[in-house]
């Protein structure tokens, strides 16, 4: 496979796999929209999954070999939390956290 | 009406521009493809974490089956997003396909937390505009990042933290709209368990399975506490 064929196939596969995760509930659960379990999951799952993703990716971006293990990601992540609770401005929180983490990485 | 959708999506604009830019910069600094491939991926794949993962898969020349599995698993959380929107999207006609395609984490959190009126067709039009605005921001970010990565010799090490920061911000926003911290603790604990017990490639799906099971138990416990006769769902 040439480079551009591989790239095209890669993008097609990624697009289909991503769309599949989004369309499956609409194909298979259309009749159960008012089931209390569906309502329950729909209400609580998003918050749980966000916390889950934040935790997993925070752990992955941390350098556990530093003198203070994980400090790069933990300090940056804590800054995001504090600044977001303080100003509730997503851009500001993300920019400060990312800049702090980049400073740690490039030190 | 356009104004309502635009105002609602402003926080996403501020999330997607830097994140899309981060993706674009990553793409052009780490890979040797034409810059426009970055926004093209934003157009047809349209998944923040997925596209950032795609950069490392492309760099590793990963097999297509591995790519399919990795993208599906990374985005498996979307399987559940649709569940809470089934009723809301019903009867949306041709718009429905795009509403489903564009169901990213951020669009989902916006569509499920915004106030809604009684006119479902009107609300679906607003949902459609919200989805389109969000993808537009994402495309602008991807394009800007791809061009920036090409033009400037710029040390981008660590820029991928934008993804983590975005998830933290979204967690806080979810908590503010829900007013209940239980799912946050459940999600974080499930993630911790998966990190300790499962090899990295399977951590996301394992944590999602665990937290879904916890919420099932939470549901059964809730139901046994409220009388079965009292049919109204107090959540």
């Amino acid at each position: 496979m040439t480079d551009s064929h591989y790239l095209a196939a890669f993008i097609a596969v990624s697009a289909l796999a991503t769309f599949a995760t989004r369309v499956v509930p609409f194909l298979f659960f259309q009749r159960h929209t008012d089931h209390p379990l569906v309502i329950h999951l729909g209400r609580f799952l998003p918050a749980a999954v966000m916390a889950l993703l934040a935790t997993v990716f925070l752990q992955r971006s941390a350098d556990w070999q530093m003198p203070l293990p994980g400090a790069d990601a933990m300090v940056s992540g804590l800054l995001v939390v504090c600044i977001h609770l303080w100003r509730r401005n997503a851009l500001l929180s993300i920019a400060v956290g990312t800049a702090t983490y980049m400073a740690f990485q490039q030190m | 009406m356009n104004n309502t959708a635009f105002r609602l999506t402003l926080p996403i604009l501020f999330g997607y521009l830097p994140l899309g830019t981060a993706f674009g910069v990553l793409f052009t600094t780490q890979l040797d493809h034409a810059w426009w491939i970055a926004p093209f991926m934003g157009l047809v794949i349209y998944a923040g974490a997925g596209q950032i993962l795609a950069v490392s898969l492309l760099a590793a020349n990963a097999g297509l089956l591995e790519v399919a599995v990795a993208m599906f698993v990374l985005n498996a959380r979307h399987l559940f997003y649709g569940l809470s929107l089934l009723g809301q999207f019903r009867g949306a006609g041709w718009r429905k396909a795009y509403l489903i395609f564009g169901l990213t984490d951020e669009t989902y959190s916006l569509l499920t937390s915004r106030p809604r009126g009684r006119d479902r067709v009107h609300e679906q039009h607003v949902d459609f505009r919200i989805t389109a605005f969000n993808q537009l921001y994402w495309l602008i970010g991807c394009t800007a990042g791809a061009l920036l990565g090409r033009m400037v010799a710029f040390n981008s090490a660590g820029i991928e933290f934008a993804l983590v920061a975005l998830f933290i911000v979204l967690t806080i926003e979810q908590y503010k709209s829900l007013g209940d911290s239980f799912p946050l603790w459940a999600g974080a604990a499930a993630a911790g368990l998966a990190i300790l017990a499962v090899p990295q490639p399977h951590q996301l799906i394992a944590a999602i399975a665990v937290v879904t099971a916890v919420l099932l138990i939470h549901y059964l416990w809730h139901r046994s506490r409220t009388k079965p006769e009292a049919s109204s769902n107090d959540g």
Side-chain angles (χ1 to χ4, degrees):
Chain A
M1 226 181 327
T2 68
D3 229 30
S4 57
H5 282 145
Y6 172 71
L7 182 65
F10 181 101
I11 292 175
V13 163
S14 303
L16 284 175
T18 303
F19 184 66
T21 60
R22 291 172 185 165
V23 79
V24 159
F26 294 92
L27 295 179
F28 298 110
F29 296 102
Q30 193 69 72
R31 280 189 217 140
H32 309 286
T33 47
D34 39 17
H35 190 284
L37 175 60
V38 171
I39 293 170
H40 185 88
L41 283 181
R43 183 159 174 227
F44 289 103
L45 199 70
V49 170
M50 288 314 158
L52 183 161
L53 290 172
T55 309
V56 167
F57 284 102
L58 195 63
Q59 187 267 338
R60 280 186 197 175
S61 54
D63 177 2
W64 299 101
Q65 314 301 323
M66 324 174 66
L68 201 63
D72 53 348
M74 294 309 155
V75 169
S76 312
L78 208 62
L79 257 176
V80 175
V81 173
C82 295
I83 291 174
H84 199 68
L85 289 176
W86 176 41
R87 301 302 295 266
R88 218 172 161 190
N89 175 335
L91 175 64
L92 184 70
S93 321
I94 292 172
V96 173
T98 307
T100 308
Y101 182 80
M102 287 173 79
F104 269 109
Q105 297 300 300
Q106 298 180 15
M107 254 188 321
Chain B
M1 266 35 93
N2 268 314
N3 250 337
T4 318
F6 177 65
R7 230 176 317 110
L8 282 169
T9 58
L10 271 181
I12 312 296
L13 169 69
F14 296 136
Y16 272 10
L17 283 187
L19 189 68
T21 306
F23 162 74
V25 168
L26 272 176
F27 186 90
T28 43
T29 52
Q30 317 223 334
L31 302 170
D32 208 19
H33 297 297
W35 69 269
W36 57 265
I37 300 289
F40 180 72
M41 287 171 77
L43 186 69
V44 299
I45 302 175
Y46 188 33
Q51 284 176 232
I52 289 171
L53 176 74
V55 173
S56 50
L57 292 174
L58 270 174
N61 228 13
L64 291 179
L65 182 66
E66 187 189 337
V67 173
V69 171
M71 295 302 264
F72 188 86
V73 170
L74 181 75
N75 291 316
R77 62 190 183 280
H78 295 146
L79 286 171
F80 302 100
Y81 291 0
L83 288 179
S84 53
L85 293 167
L86 288 172
Q88 203 168 302
F89 287 178
R90 190 177 279 161
W94 62 269
R95 288 184 175 83
K96 189 169 168 179
Y98 182 67
L99 284 169
I100 294 171
F101 165 79
L103 210 48
T104 58
D105 297 322
E106 294 74 15
T107 302
Y108 173 70
S109 67
L110 211 56
L111 296 191
T112 49
S113 56
R114 75 182 187 87
R116 305 189 153 264
R118 285 174 169 266
D119 180 356
R120 197 167 71 185
V121 173
H122 169 73
E123 295 300 336
Q124 283 169 349
H125 287 201
V126 177
D127 286 346
F128 184 82
R129 279 195 290 269
I130 287 175
T131 308
F133 272 125
N134 286 349
Q135 191 175 14
L136 182 67
Y137 306 149
W138 180 247
L139 290 175
I140 294 171
C142 292
T143 308
L147 294 174
L148 195 71
R150 258 297 121 92
M151 294 188 298
V152 195
F154 149 74
N155 186 350
S156 61
I159 200 166
E160 70 278 4
F161 193 79
L163 178 74
V164 183
L166 181 68
F167 284 138
I168 294 174
V169 164
L170 290 173
T171 303
I172 296 172
E173 290 300 324
Q174 282 286 340
Y175 168 70
K176 297 244 179 196
S177 88
L178 192 63
D180 183 348
S181 65
F182 170 74
L184 301 195
W185 296 118
L193 195 70
I195 288 165
L196 293 175
V198 183
Q200 183 158 325
H202 311 300
Q203 282 169 0
L204 273 184
I205 194 70
I208 287 169
V210 167
V211 85
T212 307
V214 168
L215 288 179
L216 280 177
I217 296 165
H218 182 228
Y219 164 75
L220 293 172
W221 178 74
H222 246 274
R223 204 180 51 166
S224 68
R225 263 189 358 153
T226 52
K227 283 220 176 81
E229 284 81 10
S231 59
S232 72
N233 188 324
D234 63 1

